[in-house]
Amino acid sequence: MLKHSKLSKREFNVMLLLAQGITSSEISCRCKISIKTVSTYRARVLFKLELNNNSEITRYCIKNKLID
């Protein structure tokens, strides 16, 4: 089982946007959620996938062919 299968749909979407280098404020606008909520989803992604930062999120997504 892949680690990202533990993520909610919204957490997964935020993870993909972060992995593409989209800023939290842009994610907030695109998803119509507050920046604080984006931050909360980012923290959950980092915790659930046992990662430390956005670079590791990007690496994880590339390794698992979630983004190009």
Side-chain angles (χ1 to χ4, degrees), residues 36-48:
K36 184 173 178 173
T37 302
V38 173
S39 178
T40 298
Y41 288 139
R42 178 184 173 275
R44 288 181 189 168
V45 168
L46 292 173
F47 177 77
K48 290 180 180 181

Side-chain angles (χ1 to χ4, degrees), residues 2-14:
L2 294 173
K3 287 184 177 184
H4 63 267
S5 63
K6 299 183 228 176
L7 302 177
S8 71
K9 185 176 180 179
R10 183 68 90 172
E11 290 166 347
F12 183 79
N13 289 338
V14 168

Side-chain angles (χ1 to χ4, degrees), residues 1-56:
M1 180 170 93
L2 294 173
K3 287 184 177 184
H4 63 267
S5 63
K6 299 183 228 176
L7 302 177
S8 71
K9 185 176 180 179
R10 183 68 90 172
E11 290 166 347
F12 183 79
N13 289 338
V14 168
M15 176 187 72
L16 293 179
L17 293 169
L18 288 168
Q20 295 171 58
I22 308 299
T23 65
S24 293
S25 58
E26 179 62 24
I27 293 170
S28 172
C29 290
R30 286 188 188 190
C31 297
K32 297 178 177 36
I33 56 177
S34 73
I35 292 176
K36 184 173 178 173
T37 302
V38 173
S39 178
T40 298
Y41 288 139
R42 178 184 173 275
R44 288 181 189 168
V45 168
L46 292 173
F47 177 77
K48 290 180 180 181
L49 300 184
E50 300 174 12
L51 302 173
N52 296 307
N53 54 46
N54 288 4
S55 296
E56 289 184 7

